[in-house]
């Protein structure tokens, strides 16, 4: 595998300012967690919602990379941003809404940059595996697959976390598979239990949203864990100190 397991990706839904990101990186760094979510561009359903700092956030990432041993993961929406983002982004996330954006996948495939590909919210496992082949088929083996829940009728969770996706993808591809507990569940009270389940069925890692002050977060405030909740989460999945 091109990346070492367990792949624990934590950090805020979106970067809001330098201070909150530095606080989070500092906290995670002390736990030897170096893969940090740092959303620059946020694909929001409502255009009035917080859209992220965009390229203006890149100097914040560059500054923190000089200060801490950290790798940033951030979603790319437009291939024209690739070079600019590559100054500070280590893994390019393709979000659920863009899993079937084959033009984007082809370009990321050719570029060879590390990509975290999320499952489309209405995509079958077969469609997900085929989307991954756009990356690998165009020459990029640096790919992580991420189950993030699929749409269904039940509103108890934000999406329905389909753990069968994990062992099935592992039969279909040799790529690492992780589970995004935050966007699949949309709640944090059952994240630790489902995190254990995801690892038990073979996931190579987990993604969790962590924010210094979830109640005041500009996006996904209900599902982001504060530092203490994340500590408890790590202990429950036996990755605490
Ligand atoms: C995210 O991880 O920031 C995100 C928007 O998730 P998804 O694409 O799975 O909805
Ligand atoms: Mn989010």
């Amino acid at each position: 595998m091109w990346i070492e397991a367990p792949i624990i990706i934590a950090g805020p839904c979106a970067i809001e300012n330098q201070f909150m990101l530095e606080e989070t990186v500092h906290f995670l760094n002390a736990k030897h967690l170096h893969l940090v979510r740092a959303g620059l561009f946020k694909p929001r359903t409502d255009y009035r919602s917080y859209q992220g700092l965009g390229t203006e956030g890149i100097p914040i990432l560059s500054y923190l990379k000089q200060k801490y041993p950290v790798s940033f993961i951030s979603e790319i929406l437009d291939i024209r941003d690739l070079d600019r983002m590559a100054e500070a982004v280590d893994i390019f996330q393709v979000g659920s809404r863009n899993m079937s954006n084959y033009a984007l996948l082809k370009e990321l495939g050719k570029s060879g940059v590390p990509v975290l590909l999320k499952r489309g919210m209405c995509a079958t496992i077969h469609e997900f595996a085929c989307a991954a082949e756009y990356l690998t088929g165009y020459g990029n083996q640096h790919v992580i697959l991420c189950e993030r829940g699929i749409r269904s009728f039940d509103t108890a969770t934000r999406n329905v976390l389909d753990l069968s996706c994990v062992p099935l993808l592992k039969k279909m591809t040799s790529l690492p598979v992780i589970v995004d507990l935050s966007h699949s569940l949309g709640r944090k009270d059952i994240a630790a239990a489902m995190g254990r389940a995801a690892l038990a069925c073979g996931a190579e890692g987990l993604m969790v949203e962590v924010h210094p002050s979830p109640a005041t977060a500009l996006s996904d405030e209900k599902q982001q864990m504060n530092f203490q909740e994340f500590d408890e989460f790590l202990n429950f999945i036996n990755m605490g100190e």
Side-chain angles (χ1 to χ4, degrees), residues 12-14 37 42 158 182-183 209 219-220 223-224:
C13 179
R37 273 182 61 98
K42 296 308 297 176
R158 181 171 174 177
S182 302
H183 294 91
E209 287 186 334
S219 55
D220 287 349
Q223 68 196 33
Q224 304 208 59

Side-chain angles (χ1 to χ4, degrees), residues 92-168:
F92 290 79
Q93 180 165 315
V94 175
S96 191
R97 290 156 191 79
N98 270 319
M99 186 209 81
S100 315
N101 183 340
Y102 301 122
L104 180 63
L105 296 179
K106 275 184 199 173
E107 291 306 316
L108 288 170
K110 287 187 232 164
S111 76
V113 295
V115 175
L116 182 132
L117 177 64
K118 293 186 119 190
R119 181 177 180 181
M121 57 190 80
C122 297
T124 64
I125 294 172
H126 174 71
E127 287 163 346
F128 187 21
C130 285
E133 286 186 355
Y134 269 87
L135 296 164
T136 55
Y138 276 84
N140 191 346
Q141 304 306 318
H142 298 123
V143 179
I144 303 170
L145 301 178
C146 180
E147 156 65 20
R148 50 77 73 204
I150 47 175
R151 281 222 166 145
S152 189
F153 52 86
D154 199 330
T155 54
T157 53
R158 181 171 174 177
N159 290 285
V160 172
L161 174 52
D162 175 15
L163 285 184
S164 65
C165 185
V166 176
L168 285 172

